[in-house]
Amino acid sequence: MKKLLLTAFTLFISLGSFAQAKLQSPAEFLGYELGDRFTRHHRMVEYFKQVDEAQTNVQVMQYGETYEHRPLIYAIIASPENFKNIEQIRQDNLKRAGMADGNPSTKVAIVWLSYNVHGNEANSMEASMKTIYELVNPDNAKTKEWLKNTVVIMDPCINPDGRDRFANFFNQNGNNPPNPDPQAREHAEPWPRGRANHYLFDLNRDWAWETQIESQHRIKIYNQWMPHVHVDYHEQGYNNPYYFAPAAEPLHEVITPWQREFQNTIGRNNAKYFDEQGWLYFTKERFDLYYPSYGDTYPTYSGAIGMTYEKGGIGAGLTVTTNEGDSMTLKDRLTHHFTTGMATIEASSMNANKLVDEFEKYFKETINTPSVPYKTYVIKGDNNADKLNKLTSWLSSHSIQYGHASAGRAAKGFDYQTQAQNNFSLTTDDVVVNIYQPKGRFITTVFEPQSKLTDSMTYDITAWNLIYGYGLKAFALNEKIAVAKLYQAKKVVNEAVANKPYAYLFRYESLNDVEFLAALMKKGVKVRSSEKGFVLDGQNFEPGSLIVTRRNNEGVADFDNVVQSAAKALGRKIHTATTGYVDKGSDFGSSDVNYLEPPKIALIGGDQTSSLAHGEVWHFFEQQIHYPVTVIGTDYFRNVDLWKYNVLIVPDGSYRLFDEATLGIIDRWVNDGGRLILIAGGTSAFADKKGFGLKEYATEDAKKQAEKVAKEQQEKEGPVKYGDAERKQLSNAIFGAIYKVSLDKSHPLAFGLGDTYYSLRTNTQHYTYLEKGWNVGILKGKQKPVMGFAGVKINKALENTMVFGVEDKGKGNVIYMADNPMFRSFWENGKMIFSNAVFMVGQ
Ligand SMILES: [Zn+2]
């Protein structure tokens, strides 16, 4: 018997002849017809294993495990002949992509089908079982023919935790028989719904950033295969019909004519089968190819024909009555997904030769003749070492090549810090990433200073640049700079540590430093922080630097060992001081050196909070800095003893919770020494409220100004046409654009960040400067995003507004954040600001 392999990518060791189990259909195996129930994830895994055991040309493997310990699996399905050469086929494909050396000897198309990235778009996983069965069903002559020149890889469920959350909800709440009334409870999933993963991340926004364990595992195997066609299966609202590619504008300019053309070929083949049945569908609308972190764009920027397929079905349960009075069943939905799967494999098989040739051509062009203006990205070697190490390991995870130049010299490029072309000196310590490599187009999409937007109406954010996210000194160059030497990771070298020093000193500049601070606090070590910079033994320590004195830590058993081993475990540089008397700045006993009280953190979660925003904070504490957090539900918030905590975090959301009585309790708690951290919608819930100094920007002057700008715009463009109405809304809109925020770097909220922060703004809220309080991050003067799209009215309204502010109240503080710095958890500097709010402010 072939066994499901438990380690990722120990490929094909179980080939050969085995005692064969009999192949069962899904109905035979499950005991019910597909579509009669929502199958739980483990049953699907067992079914795939059954197919693997019954077939010599199928291999099912586990490639990872979710946060809730469910297996992540994928299946390889090929003709018996191809299956014998499957490792050769995989290697040959990497050779075509320029990711392995040598000349290919096989020529086979590779189609990859991914299902159920959104857990409550639940038809997909059901469809995957029908699809794998028909691919190996001995009575199916068509699939046998297709497999002769096409290998199919299936990931039957990208998001098992979310999928089971949905299936369990439905199985527990559904009527028997199923109720088609749209108002029935079975059609109204409660917060947080099944869409996202365990930490409530949208895995279809995470392909590029890989913040989640599911993405990290999947990207590894994806890059070991590099398929030619990739389909990401979804569902949309059940009153919509079916969407399949070709995609809508905007399409990023790195997408090739061939990629557009073959989307069309596949689309027409899908349409053929839908036409035969009279099923409705649409193409070329709504779903664009721009933001690089989707299940369609990531493959597209990696050379595949990447596509999203969407069946109407979210909330439909097993059956529902649509607006048009039709009944929509799970059986129909999975049949539609099954149909596009088959049609896509068929179209790929019919064009397999061309598909493989064009794939090879794509990479030849990518590697030899890239057409975009910026050819090399230089990230200065004197950036913070933790950030460089993190960024380079991210590059490696995507099979991106980088390293150092052979020699230093003068160079010129777009300077991300000034947004202008500047001269600079390239050194052999700088990290060089050029685009003459297989992942060249993907590199362009994440690093280019400005992406061309063919249409300002997009499904997602319009800016995401990692260089701004990390706040790095970097340049984009029009010339190619070759990588001559392997990157030398920045390692901390600790010199001999003084015996029983007066104090240990640590810099505080990165999230690794935050994690270290959290580790010390968990061990009961008392830590201080210098609000001002100081000089000791000729070394500069910036504001925020951590000071661990021997005095006050007498209670910590084996103190020196505890501090030193925590520092070594997290790669921190240990500095020691034999005196508290500094050369310049405040001595360690000064009132400018604050004792940092360990935060006891409460985080609001549940209905009214944005599940995504809640998850971002939850994941940050548990998985990134490993610090405890207590989640408190909005449904019983009023009954909790807030005084058990000294930090309360209100993530983005849309709140009814904060009425006069609740605000009164929070007001008292802050006055007693609590620290309230408000983010985006959490911030707006406290605007113009009694006891809180935050004011929404709505003065008559500002309104008049914004109207004037809009009027001028209209005079230029003429009256609005009916068909343009949707587009007209854009002057008020913002789709995730990056603004340059000026920081007051003397305030603890800005520690480790310098005087500029690039904020990824995803909402239109704007506030006046705090009258009583610290305006730590502001948008000063005229506004225009450094990257991305924002309407004219919005830019006007953002002039001279507060983005990050701190109000001191009684013994406590309120931290207002207009933007969400935790958005999708890929903005390194955003997480630093948030960390400062948690650990540094008000201490
Ligand atoms: Zn979806």
Side-chain angles (χ1 to χ4, degrees), residues 697-708 796:
Y697 208 113
T699 65
E700 285 312 303
D701 274 359
K703 269 191 190 160
K704 269 186 206 147
Q705 263 295 345
E707 273 162 23
K708 194 173 145 236
K796 185 74 206 164

Side-chain angles (χ1 to χ4, degrees), residues 511-561:
L511 290 178
N512 304 63
D513 298 325
V514 173
E515 187 184 1
F516 172 62
L517 169 61
L520 289 179
M521 284 177 167
K522 277 193 297 183
K523 288 177 199 294
V525 175
K526 290 183 174 150
V527 185
R528 293 156 181 272
S529 166
S530 180
E531 216 169 278
K532 305 217 166 87
F534 63 90
V535 178
L536 185 73
D537 296 336
Q539 286 209 56
N540 257 317
F541 288 85
E542 291 291 315
S545 294
L546 307 178
I547 300 164
V548 183
T549 52
R550 179 168 304 280
R551 180 88 182 96
N552 292 125
N553 277 308
E554 293 89 344
V556 180
D558 206 8
F559 166 71
D560 294 275
N561 184 33

Side-chain angles (χ1 to χ4, degrees), residues 121-133:
E121 298 171 9
N123 126 36
S124 305
M125 196 186 88
E126 309 291 339
S128 78
M129 288 185 273
K130 187 172 169 66
T131 305
I132 192 168
Y133 176 69

Side-chain angles (χ1 to χ4, degrees), residues 346-360:
E346 180 183 46
S348 305
S349 170
M350 279 168 10
N351 298 282
N353 255 324
K354 174 95 170 138
L355 192 54
V356 177
D357 288 343
E358 288 289 345
F359 180 81
E360 197 171 331

Side-chain angles (χ1 to χ4, degrees), residues 117-118 121 195 204 233-235 310:
V117 61
H118 291 142
E121 298 171 9
R195 177 182 173 92
N204 191 35
Y233 275 100
H234 289 262
E235 290 190 90
E310 302 257 356

Side-chain angles (χ1 to χ4, degrees), residues 470-674:
Y470 278 70
L472 296 169
K473 278 177 266 171
F475 294 85
L477 282 65
N478 298 120
E479 61 171 320
K480 177 182 178 179
I481 293 178
V483 170
K485 280 180 276 186
L486 283 180
Y487 174 68
Q488 294 298 316
K490 304 267 171 183
K491 281 205 190 84
V492 162
V493 183
N494 272 316
E495 290 114 44
V497 174
N499 193 31
K500 306 252 173 217
Y502 179 89
Y504 291 93
L505 311 178
F506 301 95
R507 302 195 190 279
Y508 178 83
E509 295 166 342
S510 75
L511 290 178
N512 304 63
D513 298 325
V514 173
E515 187 184 1
F516 172 62
L517 169 61
L520 289 179
M521 284 177 167
K522 277 193 297 183
K523 288 177 199 294
V525 175
K526 290 183 174 150
V527 185
R528 293 156 181 272
S529 166
S530 180
E531 216 169 278
K532 305 217 166 87
F534 63 90
V535 178
L536 185 73
D537 296 336
Q539 286 209 56
N540 257 317
F541 288 85
E542 291 291 315
S545 294
L546 307 178
I547 300 164
V548 183
T549 52
R550 179 168 304 280
R551 180 88 182 96
N552 292 125
N553 277 308
E554 293 89 344
V556 180
D558 206 8
F559 166 71
D560 294 275
N561 184 33
V562 166
V563 175
Q564 290 179 26
S565 50
K568 282 175 191 156
L570 292 168
R572 299 303 87 195
K573 174 98 177 161
I574 301 171
H575 305 269
T576 50
T578 52
T579 173
Y581 188 104
V582 299
D583 304 335
K584 218 169 134 188
S586 309
D587 295 329
F588 299 163
S590 154
S591 62
D592 286 337
V593 177
N594 304 316
Y595 164 61
L596 301 179
E597 199 186 343
K600 291 193 285 288
I601 303 167
L603 164 65
I604 290 194
D607 181 37
Q608 302 175 41
T609 65
S610 147
S611 59
L612 299 167
H614 168 76
E616 286 153 8
V617 177
W618 181 22
H619 181 266
F620 177 73
F621 284 114
E622 269 183 28
Q623 296 292 332
Q624 298 182 47
I625 64 162
H626 309 107
Y627 194 81
V629 60
T630 300
V631 174
I632 293 179
T634 45
D635 51 340
Y636 62 91
F637 178 79
R638 286 187 179 94
N639 303 328
V640 301
D641 176 8
L642 257 193
W643 278 257
K644 281 175 72 177
Y645 315 97
N646 55 20
V647 171
L648 172 64
I649 300 166
V650 184
D652 192 14
S654 180
Y655 292 96
R656 300 177 303 278
L657 174 66
F658 302 113
D659 57 11
E660 209 171 311
T662 312
L663 286 170
I665 295 169
I666 295 176
D667 191 12
R668 271 199 296 127
W669 173 81
V670 173
N671 276 302
D672 284 352

